[in-house]
């Protein structure tokens, strides 16, 4: 039996896409890699000619102080608020490639810490030392530890000195029934 072909019958039409041209990858041409190698060699030659091997200079107190002051001027020119903390900091050379930066308090410590990378790069260039490192140390109460000045006397200590020199002061205190502020 044959299917009836009439007005209600539907047909299935399959369309095939047009064939696309196939591209064949070309094998690499031999001279191209040689050109890259020669360019690489050319760059190496230029680098050797222009690049001078940097010799790290040992760190000295005088050179460090001069470069540190120059960095402070740089900070002041850029209106960086860390300049004051850098100028108040004390430096101590540890060895040929490192030094300590002593700060008086936590605020100065934070200001110096915030500019540490910039300072390190600046000092490495100025001092011609690529291995240069510095360590920030917070030193609280440095004034008390470093000064040999006498501390102010307490009221009791002042009274003791006065009665050693003037014994009548003790009698007067007792007669007036005075007490010392402690």
């Amino acid at each position: 039996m044959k299917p009836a072909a009439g007005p209600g019958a539907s047909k299935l039409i399959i369309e095939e896409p047009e064939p696309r041209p196939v591209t064949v990858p070309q094998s690499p041409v031999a001279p191209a890699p040689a050109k890259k190698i020669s360019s690489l060699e050319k760059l190496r030659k230029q680098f050797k000619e222009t690049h001078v091997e940097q010799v790290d200079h040992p760190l000295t107190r005088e050179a460090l102080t001069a470069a540190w002051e120059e960095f402070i001027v740089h900070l002041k020119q850029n209106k960086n608020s860390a300049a004051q903390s850098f100028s108040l900091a004390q430096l101590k050379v540890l060895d040929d490639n490192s030094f300590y930066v002593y700060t008086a308090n936590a605020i100065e410590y934070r200001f110096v810490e915030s500019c540490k990378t910039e300072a390190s790069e600046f000092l490495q260039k100025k001092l011609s030392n690529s291995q240069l490192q510095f360590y920030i140390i917070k030193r609280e109460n440095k004034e008390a530890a470093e000064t040999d000045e006498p501390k102010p006397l307490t009221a009791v200590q002042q009274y003791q000195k006065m009665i050693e020199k003037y014994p009548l002061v003790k009698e007067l205190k007792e007669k007036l029934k005075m007490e010392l502020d402690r």
Side-chain angles (χ1 to χ4, degrees), residues 31 43 70 79 116 126:
L43 287 173
E70 197 170 326
K79 297 183 180 173
K116 183 176 182 179
K126 269 297 176 204

Side-chain angles (χ1 to χ4, degrees), residues 98-115:
S98 58
F99 64 97
Y100 289 132
V101 177
Y102 293 103
T103 59
N105 55 46
I107 295 170
E108 288 178 15
Y109 178 89
R110 287 188 193 119
F111 273 117
V112 173
E113 181 70 30
S114 69
C115 294

Side-chain angles (χ1 to χ4, degrees), residues 34-99:
K35 197 174 209 182
K36 286 183 182 177
I37 292 174
S38 66
S39 297
L40 182 60
E41 287 176 11
K42 184 179 178 183
L43 287 173
R44 284 182 182 158
K45 252 186 193 176
Q46 286 177 348
F47 180 76
K48 285 180 183 177
E49 291 171 2
T50 58
H51 180 71
V52 177
E53 191 74 24
Q54 181 180 353
V55 177
D56 289 338
H57 297 290
L59 187 62
T60 63
R61 173 93 176 132
E62 297 79 24
L64 174 62
T65 304
W68 190 261
E69 292 298 325
E70 197 170 326
F71 184 69
I72 293 170
V73 170
H74 169 73
L75 289 175
K76 287 179 181 177
Q77 288 173 347
N78 292 334
K79 297 183 180 173
N80 190 327
S81 56
Q84 183 178 6
S85 296
F86 272 82
S87 62
L88 294 173
Q90 295 178 343
L91 307 175
K92 180 182 177 187
V93 176
L94 184 61
D95 58 28
D96 288 348
N97 298 320
S98 58
F99 64 97

